[in-house]
Amino acid sequence: MLDEIPKQYNPKDTEDKWYKFWEENNLFSAKVNPGKKPYTIVIPPPNVTGILHMGHALNNTIQDILIRYQRMKGLEALWMPGTDHAGIATQNVVEKTIAKEGLKRQDLGREKFIERVWAWKKQYGSTIIRQLKKLGASCDWERERFTMDKEYSEAVKDAFVVLWEKGLIYQDDKIINWCPRCQTALSDEEAPHRELQSNLYYLKYPFKDNPDGFIVVATTRPETMLGDTAVAVNPKDKRYKKLVGKTLILPLVNREIKIITDVVVDMKFGTGAVKVTPSHDPNDYALGKKHRLGFINVIAPDGKMNKNAGDYKDMDRFEAREVILEDLKEKRLLEKVEPHSLSAGHCYRCHTIIEPYLSRQWFVRMESLAKPAIEAVKKGRIKFHPARWAKVYLNWMENIRDWCISRQIWWGHRIPIWYCLDCKNAAMASAEKPVKCIKCGSTDIKQDEDVLDTWFSSWLWPFATFKNKEDRQYFYPTSSLVTAPEIIFFWVARMIMAGLEFQNDIPFKDVYIHGTVRDVEGKKMSKSLGNIIDPLEIINEYGADALRYSLIAITAQGQDVYLSKERFEQGRNFANKIWNASRFILMNLENAGQSPSGTVPARTDLCVFFKKEELNLANRWILSRFYSTLKGVGKNLERYQFNEAASLLYGFFWHEFCDWYLEIIKADIQNPHNQMVMYKILEKSLRAMHPFMPFITEELWQRLFHEGNSIMVQSWPHLQEDIIDLRSEKIMSEVLEIITGIRNMRLELDILPHADNIAAKVFTANKHKREVLENFSGQIKSLARLKQLTILSEYKRVSGEFASVVKDTHIVIPLSGVIDLKKHKEKITTKIKKAEAEINTKEKMLGDKNFLKRAPGEIVEKEKEKLKNLKEQIQKLKGVYDALK
RNA sequence: GGGCGAUUAGCUCAGCUGGUUAGAGCGUCUGACUUACAUUCAGAAGGUCAGGGGUUCAAGUCCUCUAUCGCCCACCA
């Protein structure tokens, strides 16, 4: 046996093997627990273009833990997987690949280009899915969806038509976020603002009637001055009172513009006079409408200056800026330049600076959709974890703005709006092409060219992923949503609105928002920064379980994760610890088996009931610790405190079960009680650890049972599992004799008193383990029977012997070498002082009427006991001090 | 301009509804090749819990102010 199990755990030998096994046996299917209460999670669908990064790894590990946990708890657990067609991102990728053939998408035409996208998807689209499998994700892959699937697309169109019929969809000319590189409109959420180091340029605009006089305006975007149609000042501004209504000559283009007044102008900013460019700024647009100014667009969709820009035509907007500044300088119309930081929108796909652009787009009216969604969170039907995110959500929802949903790209759900070519202006929304125009009956009908925002399909995800009604009714609303804070607005908020609008019910009950994964310096991991730690590389090097454990262990609820590669060593080491503890137990179970076949005991069919008193102290101790660990793990999983749950298991298994318990029983490992308890705890620990570390636990489980059954579908270890069962008669024959008389009594476990805990430690003073055990095994046994057992730590070092029993109740064990007596004395003195001070405060407290009146009884008792202990401790310390003299 | 988070051991961080002696991992130091594991084991050192004020019998934990860092939102030309 020893030869069969390698000394080190090698994830590569197990991971792919067991994943395949799980898949082949359909263990990911919700039907593993048919008809039970459903527990559903829908995956945040990664982009088809996606490659697994640490954020995914964390996100999906959390979901997998929840799903595996609930599955083991016996629920019909469904993890619904799929991918997102990611309109702009995917189109960009495919455009890049065809660019290698010297082609643009326009060369291919819409249809051919979309064919190419599908072809690309077929070839590369499942990369991220394969990577999720590497991670161990137990999704029900049979149900995998794509947001461009036929049924899904139907749902998207239906949703659009429903909103249209309610009058919630409209078309309008507005200044929207335009990405000149992707050449499409973007929603406000898709154009995050980022600080930009820039300048404030002070430009002189001369008067028409007095070319030597001028007014100075300040701007951050001088290139837009070509489209200016006014200069505005605040009506209260005394400086400009006399100038209002005057005509200016716009430099470079020599167009006449007027000075107007409006209260929105901030007198304190710049010169208090602002150039008005209605076509290129949302504020100016409003001013333009209000004052009926001209709208002159000077920038083309590709970010280059257009024909209205005269000599600057075809220059890139930023190049034009420089040239314009040069020209103004030459004409002495550039007064000064001040450094100025401003924030500008950036395309969330290609990071190009957004151009505010006037164009006709489709919008969704959001206010009425937001109302019930706000209520749902306020009333607690949907809970955020951690709760603080609810505020962020509510703040956004309460200030919601209309959603620009049209995109000028090809890859996506084409807007189901149809135009009659005969009687213009007649737009109809319909899932299918209308046979004829509802107004004039013409059959000359054309569909809108634009596609919908990707998120217009994502927001339907929690229900549109279910193909048939039965499933939808059964699994919706889903249970938990696990996601990152970045997409609360993009996705979470919109799903809540969509769920309530289209399904008349919330899409999920809990939203767990985990932190963002950052590098050691706190920067977000990104390709461009080159600070990526590739999860696949970690899996390759340390194993998927190590990756999963480490990620979970360092992720405090909702806090950002600062990651460095070394962190994964902890996970790897833990996996190895589990491996070796199991190896040790397997080895010893077999040796003890004495059966010709040498098989290890398998579960069930023999149930033996023990009375707590029948077990020795070490066994009682470890069992009580184990059950309280399980309790904590369960509790913390329910509360989304994954790091707590993980570290409880870690601490118990490593530092209590391995370091203490296994060391204690080593000396008497053939003892049937010890055999049983170590076996039982291992077996249950594997189950409890399985959601966190699925591969290694499966491998060991299989080695333990040879049954071909999977740990995946075992039950989560029951909290009050007070039955200890084993079935190997070979091992248990001796035990049976012992327990015959007490067979049907229940084992009542409780938490052993602290003193017992310490006594357990006394059993193994590692350095002299053998001697201690040999010399004192008899004494230990008798000591274990003692109710009160304490260790007097100060004797540890002074005693020259390994261990000795001091008075009746104290054991002393020297743990390491010689000590400096003088220092030791000092220490004892300070300790005594500390203890005395403590006693003082405690006595004060206990003499305090307020305390006695208000503190709960148990606390008073505790305090009294503490005082007593302190007094005892001080006596001992003094004794030690005297002894040292 | 609003909102949120962070500040705890040398480093990175836990510490949930206030209540034993404030914990872990890594690092450092001292020991140990012990019949599972050196990806190990035993032990040690190391903390006025950012600072001021307050509430309480009791504060790392609640309130308030301040400082520093970080994040998000916002039509500051």
Side-chain angles (χ1 to χ4, degrees):
Chain A
M1 196 81 195
L2 194 56
D3 301 328
E4 284 171 29
I5 308 178
K7 272 192 169 188
Q8 282 182 7
Y9 172 56
N10 185 0
K12 284 185 186 141
D13 295 343
T14 65
E15 294 182 352
D16 291 346
K17 176 178 76 184
W18 290 119
Y19 202 88
K20 205 172 147 217
F21 174 83
W22 294 331
E23 270 196 307
E24 281 169 358
N25 288 281
N26 283 325
L27 297 176
F28 297 150
S29 163
K31 295 297 165 216
V32 163
N33 296 318
K36 296 286 170 59
K37 206 175 133 203
Y39 179 88
T40 319
I41 295 181
V42 290
I43 202 170
N47 293 349
V48 271
T49 54
I51 294 170
L52 193 80
H53 56 64
M54 274 303 169
H56 292 128
L58 173 63
N59 178 252
N60 289 290
T61 299
I62 291 171
Q63 293 175 74
D64 198 39
I65 287 172
L66 286 171
I67 280 288
R68 284 181 188 268
Y69 172 66
Q70 298 294 353
R71 190 184 289 124
M72 289 175 89
K73 295 265 285 194
L75 300 191
E76 186 166 340
L78 170 64
W79 188 6
M80 189 77 206
T83 47
D84 193 297
H85 70 280
I88 301 171
T90 311
Q91 173 158 322
N92 284 351
V93 168
V94 177
E95 279 185 315
K96 263 183 209 163
T97 64
I98 64 168
K100 283 177 196 155
E101 303 163 29
L103 290 170
K104 283 185 176 173
R105 72 173 207 259
Q106 287 79 2
D107 299 334
L108 289 172
R110 187 165 192 149
E111 232 167 88
K112 280 263 167 353
F113 178 75
I114 286 175
E115 273 172 29
R116 288 293 296 262
V117 182
W118 279 108
W120 184 92
K121 193 246 169 188
K122 204 174 168 192
Q123 196 174 353
Y124 303 106
S126 57
T127 305
I128 186 104
I129 299 296
R130 276 200 311 278
Q131 292 170 331
L132 284 174
K133 291 181 177 180
K134 278 266 175 201
L135 187 69
S138 63
C139 302
D140 190 351
W141 298 112
E142 301 269 304
R143 295 172 184 263
E144 188 184 332
R145 293 285 179 279
F146 182 50
T147 50
M148 290 281 281
D149 282 348
K150 194 170 168 289
E151 294 88 349
Y152 201 100
S153 301
E154 296 302 321
V156 172
K157 282 189 244 173
D158 290 347
F160 185 95
V161 173
V162 167
L163 295 179
W164 169 269
E165 281 167 0
K166 284 197 170 182
L168 295 179
I169 286 182
Y170 66 95
Q171 196 177 28
D172 196 10
D173 293 305
K174 281 198 194 182
I175 300 259
I176 44 80
N177 299 293
W178 182 267
C179 174
R181 205 219 62 84
C182 303
Q183 297 211 29
T184 178
L186 296 169
S187 66
D188 294 328
E189 293 68 43
E190 289 170 316
H193 282 64
R194 244 176 272 146
E195 268 313 91
L196 218 60
Q197 237 355 285
S198 174
N199 294 315
L200 193 56
Y201 303 94
Y202 290 76
L203 314 182
K204 298 177 186 171
Y205 287 6
F207 301 120
K208 185 187 176 192
D209 57 0
N210 173 17
D212 294 331
F214 51 80
I215 189 166
V216 179
V217 295
T219 180
T220 52
R221 294 192 300 153
E223 69 278 10
T224 62
M225 61 90 56
L226 302 174
D228 284 3
T229 51
V231 165
V233 297
N234 192 299
K236 285 185 191 154
D237 200 328
K238 285 175 190 157
R239 294 171 292 180
Y240 299 118
K241 229 165 196 162
K242 286 179 189 162
L243 302 177
V244 174
K246 273 199 151 208
T247 304
L248 301 162
I249 299 293
L250 186 64
L252 306 179
V253 285
N254 297 321
R255 188 154 30 80
E256 292 185 9
I257 58 174
K258 291 234 151 114
I259 298 177
I260 60 166
T261 61
D262 199 289
V263 286
V264 300
V265 178
D266 180 359
M267 291 189 278
K268 286 176 208 130
F269 190 91
T271 60
V274 56
K275 63 192 262 318
V276 183
T277 326
S279 286
H280 294 283
D281 184 275
N283 289 322
D284 294 7
Y285 178 76
L287 275 180
K289 282 242 159 175
K290 190 171 162 192
H291 297 272
R292 301 177 181 231
L293 304 170
F295 292 80
I296 301 174
N297 187 346
V298 294
I299 302 175
D302 60 357
K304 287 183 178 153
M305 307 309 285
N306 67 14
K307 62 180 194 308
N308 292 333
D311 296 344
Y312 306 97
K313 184 175 174 276
D314 291 337
M315 284 184 195
D316 176 79
R317 55 195 166 140
F318 297 116
E319 184 194 351
R321 175 181 296 180
E322 297 310 314
V323 179
I324 285 169
L325 286 169
E326 276 305 308
D327 291 350
L328 287 170
K329 212 174 183 182
E330 206 170 281
K331 293 188 192 306
R332 299 178 178 239
L333 292 174
L334 178 63
E335 192 190 62
K336 61 175 174 176
V337 179
E338 276 175 0
H340 180 75
S341 72
L342 84 164
S343 67
H346 288 68
C347 172
Y348 84 137
R349 282 296 167 221
C350 69
H351 312 296
T352 304
I353 296 178
I354 287 302
E355 196 56 42
Y357 190 67
L358 180 60
S359 66
R360 171 162 287 221
Q361 303 288 346
W362 288 101
F363 296 87
V364 180
R365 248 182 266 282
M366 299 306 281
E367 217 181 319
S368 65
L369 293 174
K371 254 190 179 162
I374 290 170
E375 283 301 296
V377 170
K378 274 193 176 164
K379 288 199 173 138
R381 289 173 70 202
I382 298 173
K383 285 199 179 71
F384 278 84
H385 307 266
R388 65 170 186 272
W389 291 109
K391 271 193 213 164
V392 177
Y393 165 88
L394 288 171
N395 185 48
W396 187 77
M397 290 292 274
E398 279 160 2
N399 298 296
I400 198 156
R401 291 183 290 165
D402 286 353
W403 177 13
C404 174
I405 51 168
S406 45
R407 298 288 175 274
Q408 288 66 51
I409 57 172
W410 287 349
W411 174 242
H413 303 278
R414 198 153 163 188
I415 296 185
I417 287 276
W418 308 84
Y419 301 100
C420 170
L421 295 176
D422 283 338
C423 62
K424 303 213 165 113
N425 295 333
M428 306 158 263
S430 164
E432 302 303 324
K433 183 175 180 178
V435 188
K436 53 185 184 182
C437 172
I438 40 168
K439 269 195 179 162
C440 69
S442 164
T443 51
D444 207 358
I445 286 168
K446 204 183 134 211
Q447 187 172 10
D448 196 294
E449 291 291 325
D450 290 353
V451 301
L452 288 162
D453 179 5
T454 295
W455 300 96
F456 193 92
S457 63
S458 319
W459 74 333
L460 313 176
W461 189 249
F463 59 87
T465 41
F466 298 106
K467 276 185 191 163
N468 58 58
K469 235 185 187 172
E470 294 77 54
D471 273 3
R472 199 173 284 186
Q473 271 170 5
Y474 189 67
F475 291 110
Y476 188 94
T478 70
S479 310
S480 313
L481 181 82
V482 179
T483 193
E486 294 96 89
I487 52 176
I488 290 179
F489 308 141
F490 272 121
W491 196 48
V492 180
R494 287 176 183 156
M495 280 190 288
I496 296 174
M497 292 187 274
L500 289 164
E501 173 68 23
F502 303 117
Q503 295 299 311
N504 212 11
D505 202 352
I506 53 170
F508 30 70
K509 297 175 197 89
D510 288 314
V511 182
Y512 176 69
I513 305 283
H514 59 246
T516 306
V517 181
R518 299 170 188 282
D519 73 356
V520 228
E521 281 157 24
K523 288 186 191 123
K524 214 162 153 176
M525 286 201 181
S526 78
K527 261 189 216 162
S528 52
L529 288 169
N531 58 355
I532 288 194
I533 301 175
D534 181 0
L536 294 163
E537 210 176 282
I538 300 295
I539 289 174
N540 194 35
E541 203 170 324
Y542 299 105
D545 291 324
L547 171 78
R548 292 168 61 115
Y549 177 81
S550 294
L551 275 176
I552 291 305
I554 61 177
T555 307
Q557 201 190 36
Q559 283 303 333
D560 285 356
V561 182
Y562 294 72
L563 211 57
S564 66
K565 218 175 152 185
E566 295 78 58
R567 306 224 84 138
F568 297 103
E569 285 173 18
Q570 193 188 349
R572 177 200 57 184
N573 295 355
F574 186 38
N576 200 51
K577 193 69 184 178
I578 298 169
W579 183 258
N580 275 294
S582 308
R583 178 169 174 261
F584 173 75
I585 291 168
L586 279 167
M587 211 167 77
N588 283 293
L589 280 178
E590 186 177 60
N591 291 346
Q594 297 166 348
S595 69
S597 67
T599 51
V600 293
R603 290 181 81 231
T604 61
D605 88 4
L606 177 71
C607 286
V608 185
F609 296 82
F610 281 97
K611 219 176 166 185
K612 167 184 154 188
E613 290 74 35
E614 285 301 310
L615 295 172
N616 67 17
L617 184 64
N619 284 321
R620 277 156 50 208
W621 170 72
I622 197 67
L623 281 168
S624 78
R625 288 296 307 127
F626 183 52
Y627 287 115
S628 90
T629 302
L630 278 184
K631 202 170 153 191
V633 172
K635 194 171 126 200
N636 282 300
L637 282 178
E638 308 279 348
R639 294 191 313 179
Y640 300 93
Q641 306 248 353
F642 301 100
N643 62 326
E644 277 295 309
S647 77
L648 277 174
L649 282 169
Y650 178 94
F652 168 77
F653 193 84
W654 193 322
H655 297 307
E656 294 187 302
F657 184 58
C658 292
D659 287 351
W660 286 111
Y661 178 73
L662 290 181
E663 292 299 330
I664 290 166
I665 64 164
K666 249 180 197 173
D668 194 14
I669 196 135
Q670 309 294 336
N671 176 306
H673 286 183
N674 295 343
Q675 287 271 313
M676 182 176 57
V677 172
M678 78 176 179
Y679 162 80
K680 204 65 215 169
I681 289 182
L682 173 67
E683 185 268 316
K684 288 192 185 186
S685 295
L686 289 175
R687 279 195 263 158
M689 292 188 288
H690 179 257
F692 300 85
M693 307 172 86
F695 294 109
I696 189 172
T697 49
E698 179 73 276
E699 171 70 21
L700 291 167
W701 174 267
Q702 297 292 339
R703 283 176 184 264
L704 207 51
F705 295 119
H706 304 293
E707 276 178 1
N709 209 341
S710 170
I711 192 171
M712 253 189 84
V713 290
Q714 302 304 317
S715 64
W716 175 259
H718 200 272
L719 205 62
Q720 295 303 327
E721 214 165 329
D722 41 14
I723 298 163
I724 293 172
D725 57 67
L726 279 182
R727 88 163 166 200
S728 164
E729 289 195 26
K730 293 105 194 169
I731 290 183
M732 292 309 297
S733 57
E734 203 180 330
V735 182
L736 277 173
E737 277 172 39
I738 301 170
I739 52 97
T740 310
I742 48 164
R743 204 166 173 155
N744 288 316
M745 304 191 68
R746 294 170 68 86
L747 175 70
E748 293 161 14
L749 290 162
D750 56 8
I751 293 167
L752 297 177
H754 188 57
D756 282 2
N757 198 329
I758 290 172
K761 286 197 171 195
V762 173
F763 289 124
T764 56
N766 191 281
K767 187 179 176 186
H768 301 292
K769 183 180 63 185
R770 196 172 305 149
E771 291 88 336
V772 170
L773 291 173
E774 277 170 13
N775 294 343
F776 294 101
S777 59
Q779 288 180 31
I780 286 166
K781 273 182 194 164
S782 59
L783 280 168
R785 279 185 222 110
L786 290 172
K787 289 274 174 193
Q788 289 298 315
L789 197 57
T790 52
I791 180 162
L792 188 53
S793 60
E794 289 311 320
Y795 279 124
K796 279 184 197 169
R797 291 167 180 272
V798 284
S799 165
E801 318 207 0
F802 293 137
S804 58
V805 179
V806 178
K807 297 180 187 163
D808 326 329
T809 52
H810 304 137
I811 320 180
V812 181
I813 295 186
L815 291 174
S816 49
V818 190
I819 53 143
D820 184 331
L821 268 185
K822 205 174 162 191
K823 270 192 186 168
H824 193 63
K825 272 182 172 174
E826 277 169 19
K827 265 193 189 169
I828 291 174
T829 321
T830 60
K831 273 200 177 175
I832 289 174
K833 274 183 190 163
K834 239 184 167 178
E836 277 172 349
E838 189 94 352
I839 285 173
N840 232 323
T841 58
K842 291 262 186 284
E843 275 179 340
K844 226 178 185 176
M845 194 197 239
L846 285 165
D848 187 333
K849 279 178 201 162
N850 271 329
F851 172 71
L852 294 172
K853 214 195 285 176
R854 296 191 198 174
E858 44 182 318
I859 297 290
V860 177
E861 285 310 307
K862 268 189 190 171
E863 291 298 333
K864 275 183 185 166
E865 182 148 349
K866 255 190 262 173
L867 182 63
K868 204 180 116 198
N869 289 342
L870 275 169
K871 281 180 176 170
E872 274 175 26
Q873 195 191 334
I874 232 169
Q875 282 306 312
K876 285 171 194 168
L877 285 169
K878 280 181 177 164
V880 173
Y881 190 79
D882 289 341
L884 289 174
K885 272 182 181 171

